Amino acid sequence: MLLLSGYLGLTAQKKPVIAPNKQAVLSSIQTHEKELVNLSDQVWSFAEIAMKEHKSAKVLSDYAEQQGFRVQRNVAEIPTAFIAEYGSGKPIIGILGEFDALPGLSQKAQTSKDPLNAGAAGHGCGHNMFGAASLGAAVAIKELIASGKLKGTIRFYGTPAEEDLGGKVYMARAGVFNDLDICLDWHPSYENLANMQSSQAVVDYTVSFKGKSAHAAADPWNGKSALDAAELFSIGMNFLREHIKPSVRIHYVYKDGGNIPNVIPDKASVWIWIRDSKRSGVSVVEERMKQIAKGAAMMAGVEVDMHLNNGLYELLVNETGAKTLHANMELVGPITYTKEELAFADTIMKAYGGESYGIDGSIKPIEVTRPDPDGGSTDVGDVSFIVPEITLNAVTAPYKSPWHSWVVVACGGMSIGHKGMLFAAKSLSTTMVDLFENEKLRQDIRKEFEQRKGKEVWKAMLPEGKPPVPKE
Amino acid sequence: MLLLSGYLGLTAQKKPVIAPNKQAVLSSIQTHEKELVNLSDQVWSFAEIAMKEHKSAKVLSDYAEQQGFRVQRNVAEIPTAFIAEYGSGKPIIGILGEFDALPGLSQKAQTSKDPLNAGAAGHGCGHNMFGAASLGAAVAIKELIASGKLKGTIRFYGTPAEEDLGGKVYMARAGVFNDLDICLDWHPSYENLANMQSSQAVVDYTVSFKGKSAHAAADPWNGKSALDAAELFSIGMNFLREHIKPSVRIHYVYKDGGNIPNVIPDKASVWIWIRDSKRSGVSVVEERMKQIAKGAAMMAGVEVDMHLNNGLYELLVNETGAKTLHANMELVGPITYTKEELAFADTIMKAYGGESYGIDGSIKPIEVTRPDPDGGSTDVGDVSFIVPEITLNAVTAPYKSPWHSWVVVACGGMSIGHKGMLFAAKSLSTTMVDLFENEKLRQDIRKEFEQRKGKEVWKAMLPEGKPPVPKE
Amino acid sequence: MLLLSGYLGLTAQKKPVIAPNKQAVLSSIQTHEKELVNLSDQVWSFAEIAMKEHKSAKVLSDYAEQQGFRVQRNVAEIPTAFIAEYGSGKPIIGILGEFDALPGLSQKAQTSKDPLNAGAAGHGCGHNMFGAASLGAAVAIKELIASGKLKGTIRFYGTPAEEDLGGKVYMARAGVFNDLDICLDWHPSYENLANMQSSQAVVDYTVSFKGKSAHAAADPWNGKSALDAAELFSIGMNFLREHIKPSVRIHYVYKDGGNIPNVIPDKASVWIWIRDSKRSGVSVVEERMKQIAKGAAMMAGVEVDMHLNNGLYELLVNETGAKTLHANMELVGPITYTKEELAFADTIMKAYGGESYGIDGSIKPIEVTRPDPDGGSTDVGDVSFIVPEITLNAVTAPYKSPWHSWVVVACGGMSIGHKGMLFAAKSLSTTMVDLFENEKLRQDIRKEFEQRKGKEVWKAMLPEGKPPVPKE
Amino acid sequence: MLLLSGYLGLTAQKKPVIAPNKQAVLSSIQTHEKELVNLSDQVWSFAEIAMKEHKSAKVLSDYAEQQGFRVQRNVAEIPTAFIAEYGSGKPIIGILGEFDALPGLSQKAQTSKDPLNAGAAGHGCGHNMFGAASLGAAVAIKELIASGKLKGTIRFYGTPAEEDLGGKVYMARAGVFNDLDICLDWHPSYENLANMQSSQAVVDYTVSFKGKSAHAAADPWNGKSALDAAELFSIGMNFLREHIKPSVRIHYVYKDGGNIPNVIPDKASVWIWIRDSKRSGVSVVEERMKQIAKGAAMMAGVEVDMHLNNGLYELLVNETGAKTLHANMELVGPITYTKEELAFADTIMKAYGGESYGIDGSIKPIEVTRPDPDGGSTDVGDVSFIVPEITLNAVTAPYKSPWHSWVVVACGGMSIGHKGMLFAAKSLSTTMVDLFENEKLRQDIRKEFEQRKGKEVWKAMLPEGKPPVPKE
C-alpha cells in the first residue's frame, strides 16, 4: 500500500511533463481504440492454434497494410508469419505480436465456464490482445515517422506459433531480426511490470529406438527390444538427476511403448525436454543425454535416433530497457476498474477455484532478477539473443489467475482484457518514443545486452528443413 | 517319402476292416462334402474377428438347425456363441468349432500376396475350416443317432473369439461343458497329428497407476508420477526374471506412458502377460507380480489397479484319446495332393519367404510330450480342465507355413484347405464312433484325465461381469 | 587490501571506547595466551577421533578445573563429553568447544605434506583450536564473575564427536542445553565472519534387506534376493529425485552388496543420507524414502530394516546475535600476519594445489543468508533449535584452503592457527560481556530465535539407546 | 527294469571271466590299500585350499616318486601342480587327481557337527579321496607296464585349485594334456555312476568402473559416479534376462559399492558370472554383457574395465567311454556297508537336516544326458575339450548328502569314504586296462569325442600372465 501510493505520487509529479511525441502516441492509441479492441476481439473469436492462425494473421496484416505499412507475408516459409514495416533507415525498432490460441480452451466471455465452441481452441494465454496492442503501438509510432517527428524504421513482427513449435525461432533462423536496434514485446499477466525475469531455456527431443521383433514367448532371445532401450534410457536419465544443477529440469513421456505383449517391440520412443535457467546449462545436460541414449541403445543392442524437435533460449532481460519502460508505465498510470469489472474478477475466480484475490491494476516495482526462473519458456528468448529485448507484463486478468485456463480466455474477451491491451499499447509506444529519440539510451541498452549475452553465440535449435507447417 | 509309403502300406492293410458305423460317418461326410466346403468358404469370405463373427455364426448355426439339431444361441451372453445338440442321454460327446479371423490379414486364394479387401481381416489361423469340419463330423454322428445306431447326445459348440478375448473361457464359466463325457477339437496345421503337446498357460493383466499431475518444470515436487510407478513396476518385473523358472515367460508393453513432457503424468499403464507350461507355475509369478505392482505404487506414492483381462489354462492332453484318434487317422488315410496343389504349395512358399518344403499329407506318429511347450496358448486349455479333450492337427497349408500369415489364408480358401477340412471331419467322426460305442474307452480316457488334472481346480481367469462384446 | 585498510580505519575509530569489562576479558586472554596455545597444541598432537578423544578431553577439563570451574564428566553417557561451569543464577551463557580429529589426516606443522604419524588422524577441521579458544573465552568471563563484575553463570561444553556420530545430539537429548539463555560457538575458517549462513539438515540411515539364499545357478527361483531389493531401493530413490526440491540432496553407497555370485544374497544394505536446507524438508523426503524401502522389499519379497544412525538439524542463525558479535570482532580488530606467516600460507597452498590466494585476516561484513546452504551439516544445528546460537568464523588457514586436508592440519599447529584461536577467544569473550550485561539484547536475540524456529519442535534424530561409544 | 536286469545279467556273466590284467590291477589296489587310505586321510587332515595345497601335493607326489614315477613339480607355474609319469610311447592315458579343500568347513570324522580346527578348511567336496584313488589306479597300471603286460605311458596329474581359480585351465593352457589319448577322472558322490551328464560352462568377470569423486552434497554435478555405472550395468543385465535362453544363468554381487555417502564414488565394481549348458551359449551372453558394461559406462560418463577372472568349458561326456567304465564298475561290484556304517549314515543325515535316505552302494544305470545340467561347473570341462574324458561318480557319503557341507567332510575321513575311494581306484584301473589293451576302443572314443566337440576350438578363458598363486 505504502509502495503503491509512493508510485502514485511519482506519477502525479510526472504527468504534467508529458513530452509532445509521447502525447502524440497516447492520442493515436485513443483514436484507434475501437479498431484495436475490434482486432483483439476478432482474433479472440478465431482462436486459431499454432501455424494455423490464418484468419488472425490476415486481419492483423490487412490492418497494418491499411495503415500504410509495407507488409511481407509467408515469412520464413510460415504462411501465418508476417512483417509490417514503415519508414526507413536507422534506428530500426521492432515490436513482436503473437496471436495463436491453445487447444481445447474455448470459452465465452462470461464468469461461468461455458465453451464458445465445444472442443475448440481458446485464448488462454491472451495472445489475441498481444497482437492487437503491439500493432497499435506500431501504428502510433508510424504516424510520428510519417509526420517527420521521428526518424527511422518501425517494424511489426506477426509471430505465430508461440505456444507450440517455436515460430520465432524459425523467423530468427531466417535472419529477420538481425538488423534491429532494439525489440519490444509484452505479455498478458496479472501484474503490470517491466519484466526483469528471465525464462527457462529448453530443448525438446524425441529419442527413438529401433530393434528387432520376435515372439515374446517362443523366442525372445531372437529379439532386440526397443522398449528395453527406452526404459534403460529413462533409468539412465533418472540416475543423471543426482548430477545436474538444482536449476535443471528433465521430464519425459513414452510416446511409443510397444503394441502387444507377445511381440518384442522393435520400435519405442521417449519424448523428453531438458530445461535450465541458461542455454549453456541445458547444453551440458543435452550432451549427457546423448551419451545416455547411445549407452541405452548399446545395452539393448538396438539403434537410436535423437531428433531435436526444437529448443528455446532463456530470455535475456535488460535493466536499462526495463527502467525506461517502467518510467513510461508510470507516465501512462495504473489501470482502474469499474465496479462491474471488479465484480466480474471476483465472481470468475470464485467460480474457478473458490478464492478471489481481486484484480490489481497498479504498476509494480521492478523485481530483482531471480537466478532460477519458474518453469516457463518462450521463443522470445531466441529473439533476445539477437537484439536487446524489452518485455512488458500487463494485467488482463484477476490477480493469481490460473494461466492457460478458461478464466484467462473469458477476461481476454471483455473490457478487463481490452484495458490491459490499451495499457500495453500506450506503455510500449511511449517507450519506443524514448528509444527513437535517445541514441545514448539505445547505446546503453545495447551495451548491457552485449554484457549479458557474453560469449554465447546464438544458433537456432531446430531440425534442418522447413518449418512444421500442418497440412490443411 | 519312405515314411509316407510305409504308412500307406499300413493303411492298405487296415482298410478292409472298417466297421459299419465308421463306414457310415465317412459316407455322410462324402455326401455333405459340397455343403461343408461351402460353409468353410463362406466363413473364409466373411473373415470376422473376435466376438464380431455374426455372419459366420449364422451360417453355421442355421446349417445345424437345418440338419435337425436343437440350436441355442447367445450362449454365455456372447451373441456369436451357440450350441447345437442332437439326441439325448449319456454319453454326451462334444466337439468344438471356431470361426473367428485375424485383423489385417485379408488375402485372395492365390499364390501371390493380394488382399481380398484391403485392411480387412483374414483367416490366417484357418478357423473357417475349423468350424465347418467339426460341424460336418457332428452331422455324421447325428445321423447315426437318428437311425438308432448310436445312443447318446452329440453336441457341437460354436466357440467364437479364440484369437482374442478367450471366448471359450466365458462359455466354460457359464458351465456349458460341465456335463460332457469327452470333447474333441482340431486345429489347422502343416502336420497331420494326434496332438500330445500341451500349450502354455497365460494370464493377461493391465496394471494401471494413478498419481497426481504437476507442472514438470515449475513444481515437479507436487506431482506423484504414475509413469514412475509404471517404470518401477517394469524394472521390478525384470529383476524378478532371475527368480523365475526357465519355462516362464513375462512380456509387457506400455499402454499409456504419459501425454506431454511438461506435465507429471497422473496416469500410466502397463499391459503384461505371464506364461508358464502350467497354470500352477503362472500363479506363483502372478502373486509376485502383484507384490511388485504394489511395491512400485508405494515407491512412487501412487495408487495401483491390477485388471485381469483374461487367462488361459494349459492344454491337458490325453494319450488314450490321442491313440484312439491316431488309429482313426490311419483308417482315413493320408491326404494326397494333385500336381496343381503341389505346385500351388511350392509357389506360395517361395513367394512368401524364398524357400519351399513341399506339403506333407502323411500321418505323423504321436510325439513325446515336451515339458515346455513353445510360445502358444489356447482357450481349449480351459475346456481340457473340465472335460477330457482330444485334439487333432490336420494339414491345411504347406510344410512349415508361417502361421498367422497370408499364406495360411490363401490355402484355407482353396482345395488344399478343403482337403484338410474333410480329413479332419472324417478323423473326428470316426473317433467319435469309438467314443460312443466303447464305454471302457471313455472310462480309460476319463481316468487319465483325472490323473493329469490332479488337484488343480479349474476356475475361470476372467474379470467379473459380462463378456467384452464390442458395441456395433 | 583496500577493504582491509578500510576496516582498520574503522577499528581505529572504535578502539578508544573499549568498555572496562571488555578490556578485562581481552587482558585475561593475553594473560592466559601461552596456556591456551599449549592446550591447542596438545590436542593437535593427540589428534583423537570421534568419541575416542580421551586425552584431549582430559587436558581441557583438567584445565577448566584448575581455573576453578565445577566439572562434570561422562555427560550423556559419553566418556569424553564434559561440562565446566562457574557462577550461579541467570543469565546462563553457554559456549561450545569441540576437539575431535579426522582419520587419516596426520600431518606435521610444515608446508610440505608429511604425516606426523603415518595413517593416524589429524586436525583437518581445526577442532584443536576450537576447544582451546572457547575455553579461554569462558575463563575470561569466569574471572569477571569471580570478581563480581558480571552476574550469572558461564558454562563451557566439551562437545566430542562432531565429525562423526553427532556428539551434541546425544548431549542435547540428555537436556544439558535446556536452561541456557544463549549459546556461542565458533569454527576455524579462512574468513573472519559473524556467521549468518545456515547449514544443511541431514538424516543418516542404514537400510538393510534380509532375503533367502539359494544357489544362483541351480535354483535361483528358491531365493529371495536382498541385493535385488537394495538395487530396487536405489532405483526408486533415483526416480524420486525428479520430485524433490532443488535444495534436497540424496546420496548413498552399498555397504553390503553380496558375497559371491553363485549365492543369491540373503543380506544387503544401503547407507543413505538425505539433506535439505531445513529439517522439515528432510522429513518430507525421509517419509518417501521409507515408502520406497518398503516398496523395494515388497518387490523382492524380502524384509527391510531402516536404522536411523543419526540426524542433524540445520543451523538457526540469529541476526541480532551476529551483529553483536560483528561489533566485537571490529573491536578486537583484524588479524595481521608476519612476513614468515604470509610466506608459509603462500608456500603451503602452492604445495597443495598450485595456486595461492594469500591469507586474509580482515573482518568480513555480515553476509545475506542464502536460502540453500552449501553441502555442510553440523551438530551445532541441534543446539541452535534449543537455545539461540551465535557462531563465529575465524581465520586459521590461507584463503580458500581445502577443508579437511593436511593444509588445515599444518596451519592449525603453528602460529597462523594460534592467532586465529586467540582472535576467536577475544571476539567471543567480548561478545559474552555484552550478553551478560544487556538483558534487552538477550531478549531481542531470543525473540528472533523464537520467530526463526517457528512451530518446529526439536526432537533428537537418534536411534534409541546409549551413544555408540567405541569399545577400546 | 529291462535295462537293469540286462546289466545284472551282464555282470553275472562277466564275473567268472575277469581277465588277467584286470585281476592284476585289482590285486595291486588291495596290496596298496593301507597306503592309499593313509594318503587320503593325510590330505583330509591337511585340508588346504586352492593353490595353497603344499603338504597335500607333497605327500601325493612323494608317494608317486617312491612308486617309481618320474615327477615334474611346479607345472604351469603353479607350485602345487605336478605330473607323475611312468612308461613310454603310445598310448598315453591320463588320470586326474584333485586335492584342494573348501574354506570354513573343518569337521571331525563324527556324526555331530564339530570342527577339527575352528575356522579352518575342510574336504567338503571329498577331494582328499579324489587324489588318492586316482594315484592308486595309476600305480596299479604302472606295475603292469613295468612287468611288460601293458605298453605305453600312464600319467597322473596332480591338479590343484578346482574349487576356486580353475587350476586345470592353467595346466591346459600350458599344453600338458595335449598328447594324451584319453583321460579319466572321478568325483565323490552319493551315487555310483558312469557319468553321462555335462556341467555348465561359465565365465567369471569383475566389471570395474572408474569415475570422479565430488562432494555429494556440495557439488554432485562435478562428480561422475562409478556406482551409478555399476547399478546401470546391473539393471541392463537384468533387462537382458528376457532375451537369454532358458539354460543361461547370470548372477552377480557388488564387490565395491562406494565408501561413504557424502562422496560421489569414483570406484565401484560388480563381480559377475555367466553360465550356460555350452561355452558357445555363454559367449553370446558374454558379448552382450560387454556391450551393457560399455553402455553403462557411457551413461554415467565413466571408464570401464572388464577383467576376466577365469572361465570353464562344459564337460564333454563320452558314451563309448562311459559304457566301458560302467562294465568295469559292474565287474568291481557294488559297495556294501557294515551295520555301523549304515548307522553312521543315518545318524549324520538326521543330525544335519532331520531326514535320512540311507546310503546306496549300488551301481546305477547310465543316465540319459539332460540338455541343461544343474548349476555346477568344473575345470575338468576344459580338459574334456582337449582329450576324451571319462568320468566316474563313486559313493563317499549318504544318499542325497548336502554337498559342500560338514557331512561330506565327516564321511570322507572314515570308512565310508575309504570304501568309495577304493571302489573308484578299482573301477578306474580296470577301465584303463581296457583302454591300454584295445586300440579300436580308443579310436571309437576319440571319434565320438570329435563329433561332440564339433567346430568348437578350445581356448583357455584366463587373464594373461601367471596363475594367481597367493603369496604366503
Side-chain angles (χ1 to χ4, degrees), chain C residues 200 215-218 220-221 227-228 231 234-235 238 249 251-254 257-262 265 271-273 275 375, chain D residues 200 215-218 220-221 227-228 231 234-235 238 249 251-254 257-262 265 271-273 275 375:
Chain C
Q200 286 184 318
H215 193 288
W221 38 87
L227 180 55
D228 280 6
E231 294 188 272
S234 157
I235 294 166
N238 279 295
R249 299 286 181 278
H251 25 270
Y252 63 87
V253 294
Y254 283 66
N259 293 320
I260 186 163
N262 65 341
W271 185 16
I272 187 164
W273 294 3
R275 310 194 199 216
Chain D
Q200 286 184 317
H215 193 287
W221 38 87
L227 180 55
D228 280 7
E231 293 187 272
S234 157
I235 295 165
N238 279 296
R249 298 287 181 278
H251 25 270
Y252 62 87
V253 294
Y254 283 65
N259 293 320
I260 186 163
N262 65 342
W271 185 15
I272 188 164
W273 294 3
R275 309 194 199 217

